[in-house]
């Protein structure tokens, strides 16, 4: 069956649009939402941990709590961020004590971030700490849960664009600080946990310059060099999409000219 030029045009445009990634997350709005969560007490959400046990958010009160959000299908940023957080948690535990605080890593991509996925994610990051829970939230609660913590995310062609943040919650369940980026000075985490314990004022991270905000959303911490590097995958996707679109337009132009030329030759050959 032979497709018409019009049908081929529609098919190729669809392919070109699919190839161009959707970059939907508004960084400034995401940061405003995250900062607005400070001072808020999230509701008592229900989870299932990596061992199949039921956990309520209120079960983790009484001492500071560090909360991070991940999706287990992430192949780069979430694992890197979680491993770095583990190093910071180790330093905080060495300074303040193993039982001085809780840690909760929550999967936000249901139904895929289920109990088994969270268990495997923890295993792959090499994390097995009694005070660190990997949690799968109850269905239907993710939107309210992430909003309460000021965590923003948007689906993209490569998975999700999302803010990389660790929420520091005091023993009463109130968010007192947000820590941003794939890495940060572990001493900042130690200070945040200590301040949350004694109720001292917190010193927020400096987010005054645009570069810091871009790093939060668009860069990856490179553990080999201990520095930030650009996440070039986004730019590769954009380039690939534009390449497909350019090739599509070139092909369609040639087809149009060929068909026009054929029509003209037929017209000249008529008596």
């Amino acid at each position: 069956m032979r497709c018409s030029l019009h049908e081929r045009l529609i098919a190729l445009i669809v392919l070109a649009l699919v190839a161009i990634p959707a970059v939907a997350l508004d960084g400034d709005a995401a940061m405003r939402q995250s900062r607005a969560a400070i001072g808020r007490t999230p509701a008592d959400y229900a989870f299932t941990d990596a061992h199949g046990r039921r956990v309520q958010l209120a079960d983790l009160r009484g001492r500071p709590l560090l909360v991070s959000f991940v999706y287990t299908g992430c192949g780069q940023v979430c694992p890197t961020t979680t491993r770095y957080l583990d190093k910071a948690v180790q330093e905080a535990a060495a300074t303040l004590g193993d039982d001085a605080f809780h840690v909760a890593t929550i999967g936000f991509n249901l139904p895929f971030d289920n109990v088994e996925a969270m268990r495997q994610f923890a295993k792959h990051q090499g994390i097995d700490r009694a005070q660190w829970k990997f949690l799968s939230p109850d269905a239907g609660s993710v939107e309210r849960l992430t909003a309460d913590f000021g965590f923003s995310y948007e689906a993209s062609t490569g998975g999700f664009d999302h803010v990389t943040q660790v929420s520091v919650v005091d023993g009463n369940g109130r968010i007192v600080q947000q820590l941003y980026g794939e890495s940060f000075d572990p001493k900042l985490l130690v200070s945040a946990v200590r301040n949350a314990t004694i109720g001292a004022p917190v010193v927020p991270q400096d987010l005054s310059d645009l570069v810091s905000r871009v790093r939060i959303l668009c860069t990856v911490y490179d553990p080999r060099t201990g520095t930030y590097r650009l996440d070039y995958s986004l730019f590769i996707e954009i380039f690939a999409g534009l390449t497909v679109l350019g090739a599509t337009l070139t092909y369609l132009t040639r087809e149009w000219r060929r068909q026009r030329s054929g029509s003209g030759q037929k017209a000249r050959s008529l008596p």
Side-chain angles (χ1 to χ4, degrees):
M1 181 178 177
R2 188 171 182 178
C3 296
S4 67
L5 179 61
H6 180 260
E7 290 171 328
R8 279 180 283 176
L9 170 63
I10 293 175
L12 288 171
I13 288 177
V14 168
L15 287 174
L17 292 175
V18 168
I20 298 177
V23 184
L25 188 62
D26 183 330
D28 288 333
M31 289 306 303
R32 286 195 298 270
Q33 180 173 332
S34 177
R35 302 297 293 172
I38 296 175
R40 182 182 299 154
T41 300
D44 186 19
Y45 294 98
F47 308 88
T48 305
D49 72 10
H51 302 288
R53 296 183 294 249
R54 297 292 289 166
V55 178
Q56 295 288 140
L57 192 58
D59 296 339
L60 304 178
R61 290 183 180 175
R63 65 186 77 171
L65 168 67
L66 306 175
V67 176
S68 65
F69 288 90
V70 301
Y71 69 99
T72 57
C74 179
Q76 189 175 38
V77 175
C78 292
T80 300
T81 302
T82 304
R83 287 193 293 268
Y84 187 85
L85 178 59
D86 183 36
K87 293 180 181 178
V89 164
Q90 290 179 37
E91 183 164 329
T95 303
L96 304 172
D98 286 331
D99 297 331
F101 58 96
H102 295 290
V103 187
T105 293
I106 302 171
F108 65 86
N109 184 26
L110 294 182
F112 303 103
D113 291 343
N114 53 35
V115 171
E116 179 60 20
M118 296 305 292
R119 188 181 72 80
Q120 290 296 327
F121 184 84
K123 180 180 178 180
H124 291 158
Q125 311 324 314
I127 299 173
D128 184 16
R129 303 178 65 86
Q131 305 303 325
W132 193 328
K133 298 186 181 299
F134 287 79
L135 304 174
S136 179
D138 284 0
S141 68
V142 172
E143 186 174 347
R144 290 179 288 110
L145 168 67
T146 53
D148 264 3
F149 278 91
F151 175 78
S152 298
Y153 63 97
E154 291 286 350
S156 68
T157 54
F160 290 93
D161 293 331
H162 62 87
V163 174
T164 303
Q165 70 180 40
V166 176
S167 300
V168 183
V169 182
D170 68 15
N172 296 318
R174 184 174 63 95
I175 299 171
V176 295
Q177 191 169 357
Q178 305 277 32
L179 302 177
Y180 301 105
E182 278 76 22
S183 73
F184 42 79
D185 186 349
K187 292 182 175 59
L188 187 61
L189 182 72
V190 174
S191 175
V193 173
R194 181 186 291 115
N195 290 339
T197 302
I198 64 177
V202 299
V203 178
Q205 280 177 286
D206 180 13
L207 299 174
S208 58
D209 60 285
L210 179 62
V211 173
S212 294
R213 292 197 295 273
V214 170
R215 283 179 174 175
I216 289 166
L217 296 171
C218 303
T219 64
V220 177
Y221 178 76
D222 189 339
R224 295 172 299 175
T225 62
T227 59
Y228 281 102
R229 61 179 172 79
L230 279 174
D231 184 359
Y232 289 104
S233 61
L234 174 63
F235 301 102
I236 291 172
E237 289 178 3
I238 293 173
F239 177 76
L242 292 176
T243 300
V244 171
L245 184 58
T248 299
L249 293 175
T250 300
Y251 171 78
L252 293 174
T253 300
R254 289 176 178 173
E255 282 291 293
W256 177 73
R257 288 176 177 172
R258 184 181 64 80
Q259 291 192 10
R260 254 190 97 179
S261 175
S263 299
Q265 290 176 1
K266 288 180 181 179
R268 287 194 296 271
S269 64
L270 292 175

